[in-house]
């Protein structure tokens, strides 16, 4: 890091070139060098952080698109010419905010760069538990962990012995939903896009069964094979043909938590849903959700999950790339299934 004066350094940032349609390309994200003052102005309530880890998450694609009222309800769109935002693990360099002091660690939303200036709000949390890997706060203990917890427990209301299906099951959220379901005593099956990921689901995360959807000619038949009596709970991460097949295989009074639809994010004309009448016939409850609606349960979530981590009863797989310069390719790789586990970027050593 080149120092230009006593309290100013260069700050490499990742900028959105312009709104994106279709599959994003690396050229849609560009690098710029700016300067940033390492001292917070007197009287400011802002916090200057050095970013240690940045999280790559599928919802970020939605924020790259041309703004519309639907996607704006999820999160504000990125602004062309400005840094993209995402979740991070960061270290406080200087603070004018009463809740943070120099040296504190936090996780929350920041601009993608080596340094970020933030105004702490409900999306920022001081890290109190450092006996677990700090990188976990981009995933297991951060937004994806909260997403799995809220979607499974708060929306699906699982019961012991129920059948659970998770799509995109080896990703940042899916791998946790499956493990939470096993803790509940459920029968769990996951789908993934490679045999390596299927092996991970069965032998690392403890899923009862799993299949590679790319090798299945008939998704309906695959689900009937795995769930001869039907599905009680579906944790939806994919959409498209997978959702069509799931609707045919749900049980009476089944629950579907709609977390994501990664198969649709890059389509200019999104696919419709088939077999929707089953929602009536089988009295299925489908509920979409956004994790920020459940951030008030963060402490409850930590109390639940930390003992399982410390006892080795929950495991988490991360896919870490080093260097901010490799961030765009890591982020865009999510949409081609290149990541194995939670994708994150190591920006600076702890």
């Amino acid at each position: 890091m080149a120092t230009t004066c006593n309290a100013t350094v260069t700050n490499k940032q990742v900028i959105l070139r312009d709104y994106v349609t279709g599959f994003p390309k690396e050229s849609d994200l560009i690098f710029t060098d700016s300067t940033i003052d390492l001292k917070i102005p007197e009287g400011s309530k802002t916090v200057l952080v050095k970013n240690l880890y940045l999280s790559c998450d599928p919802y970020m694609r939605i924020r790259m698109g041309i703004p519309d009222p639907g996607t704006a309800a999820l999160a504000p769109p990125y602004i062309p010419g400005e840094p993209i935002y995402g979740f991070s693990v960061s270290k406080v360099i200087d603070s004018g905010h009463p809740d943070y002091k120099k040296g504190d660690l936090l996780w929350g939303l920041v601009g993608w760069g080596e340094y970020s200036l933030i105004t702490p709000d409900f999306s920022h949390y001081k890290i109190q538990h450092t006996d677990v890997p700090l990188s976990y706060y981009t995933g297991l203990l951060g937004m994806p962990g909260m997403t799995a917890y809220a979607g499974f427990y708060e929306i699906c209301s699982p019961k012991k012995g129920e059948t659970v299906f998770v799509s995109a099951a080896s990703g940042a959220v899916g791998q946790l939903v499956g493990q939470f379901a096993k803790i509940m005593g459920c029968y769990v099956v996951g789908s993934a896009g490679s045999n390596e990921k299927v092996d991970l689901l069965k032998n690392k995360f403890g899923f009862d069964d799993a299949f590679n959807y790319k090798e299945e000619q008939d998704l309906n038949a695959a689900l009937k094979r795995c769930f001869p009596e039907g599905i009680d709970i579906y944790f939806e991460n994919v959409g498209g043909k997978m959702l069509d097949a799931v609707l045919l295989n749900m049980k009476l009074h089944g629950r579907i938590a709609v977390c994501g639809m990664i198969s649709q994010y890059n389509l200019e004309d999104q696919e419709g849903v088939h077999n929707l009448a089953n929602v009536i016939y089988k009295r299925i409850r489908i509920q979409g959700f956004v994790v920020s609606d459940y951030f008030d349960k963060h402490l409850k979530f930590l109390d639940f999950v930390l003992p399982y981590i410390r006892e080795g009863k929950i495991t988490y797989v991360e896919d870490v790339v080093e260097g901010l310069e490799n961030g765009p390719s890591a982020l865009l790789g999510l949409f081609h299934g290149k990541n194995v586990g939670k994708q994150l970027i190591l920006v600076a050593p702890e």
Side-chain angles (χ1 to χ4, degrees):
M1 189 61 58
T3 303
T4 56
C5 70
N6 285 342
T8 304
V9 296
T10 56
N11 183 28
K12 188 179 293 293
Q13 295 175 300
V14 180
I15 306 294
L16 180 68
R17 183 191 295 274
D18 200 356
Y19 292 123
V20 175
T21 57
F23 276 89
K25 307 178 292 296
E26 284 192 48
S27 58
D28 292 319
L29 298 172
I30 56 178
F31 292 95
T32 185
D33 285 332
S34 60
T35 60
I36 192 164
D37 197 331
L38 295 183
K39 195 73 180 165
I40 297 291
E42 197 69 35
S44 171
K45 293 292 181 68
T46 57
V47 177
L48 176 69
V49 297
K50 182 176 185 177
N51 297 320
L52 306 179
Y53 296 98
L54 292 173
S55 177
C56 298
D57 298 294
Y59 84 92
M60 297 171 73
R61 168 62 186 88
I62 300 169
R63 300 185 70 180
M64 295 179 191
I66 297 170
D68 71 63
T71 58
L74 169 70
Y78 296 140
I79 300 172
E82 294 190 10
I84 64 171
Y85 272 74
F87 286 90
S88 77
V89 172
S90 307
K91 187 173 187 176
V92 176
I93 301 299
D94 194 26
S95 173
H97 195 282
D99 294 343
Y100 294 92
K101 65 181 187 301
K102 182 178 180 179
D104 283 347
L105 295 164
L106 63 83
W107 73 269
L109 283 171
V110 304
W112 268 34
E114 293 166 301
Y115 295 87
S116 298
L117 189 65
I118 61 172
T119 301
D121 60 18
F122 71 94
S123 71
H124 298 99
Y125 295 88
K126 190 184 294 188
I127 294 174
Q128 309 283 7
H129 304 279
T130 54
D131 60 324
V132 293
L134 273 183
S135 58
Y136 277 11
Y137 288 91
T138 66
L140 171 49
L141 293 173
M143 183 276 288
M146 280 291 299
T147 302
Y149 177 81
F152 186 62
Y153 289 104
E154 299 291 331
I155 291 175
C156 294
S157 303
K159 302 178 188 68
K160 183 178 180 180
E162 289 191 313
T163 56
V164 177
F165 176 53
V166 186
S167 56
S170 67
V173 175
Q175 59 176 291
L176 292 175
V177 175
Q179 292 179 81
F180 291 165
K182 289 306 298 178
I183 287 169
M184 279 294 301
C186 298
Y187 175 82
V188 189
V189 177
S191 65
S194 74
N195 292 332
E196 176 192 6
K197 292 177 182 179
V198 167
D199 183 66
L200 203 61
L201 293 176
K202 294 196 282 191
N203 298 316
K204 181 82 171 179
F205 301 134
F207 282 60
D208 295 289
D209 203 353
F211 62 88
N212 180 349
Y213 71 89
K214 293 178 181 176
E215 293 187 347
E216 298 291 343
Q217 299 297 314
D218 184 339
L219 291 174
N220 178 29
L223 291 173
K224 286 193 188 316
R225 181 179 75 236
C226 295
F227 297 100
E229 304 298 320
I231 301 166
D232 289 301
I233 291 171
Y234 173 44
F235 199 98
E236 166 70 298
N237 290 309
V238 170
K241 292 180 175 59
M242 188 65 80
L243 177 58
D244 295 344
V246 166
L247 287 169
L248 294 173
N249 288 277
M250 293 297 292
K251 287 186 183 180
L252 284 179
H253 304 289
R255 289 88 74 203
I256 299 177
V258 184
C259 171
M261 291 195 171
I262 196 169
S263 72
Q264 305 300 300
Y265 295 159
N266 297 301
L267 301 181
E268 293 184 48
D269 186 17
Q270 295 191 356
E271 297 170 329
V273 181
H274 297 87
N275 308 321
L276 203 53
N278 284 278
V279 175
I280 306 166
Y281 309 151
K282 299 179 180 180
R283 293 74 128 183
I284 299 166
R285 178 164 58 84
I286 303 177
Q287 183 175 341
F289 72 102
V290 176
V291 66
S292 56
D293 295 341
Y294 296 89
F295 276 168
D296 62 320
K297 301 187 184 299
H298 180 242
L299 291 178
K300 179 182 175 185
F301 165 65
L302 289 182
D303 288 342
F304 165 78
V305 77
L306 279 167
Y308 286 114
I309 297 171
R310 290 167 178 150
E311 293 164 16
K313 293 181 178 177
I314 285 180
T315 187
Y316 201 60
V317 170
E318 298 174 320
D319 192 333
V320 184
V321 301
E322 294 190 15
L324 184 63
E325 66 276 9
N326 295 313
S329 61
L331 175 60
L332 303 189
L334 293 175
F335 307 107
H336 302 281
K338 292 182 179 179
N339 60 301
V340 178
K342 168 62 193 167
Q343 185 70 70
L344 64 142
I345 306 154
L346 171 62
V347 181
E350 296 175 19

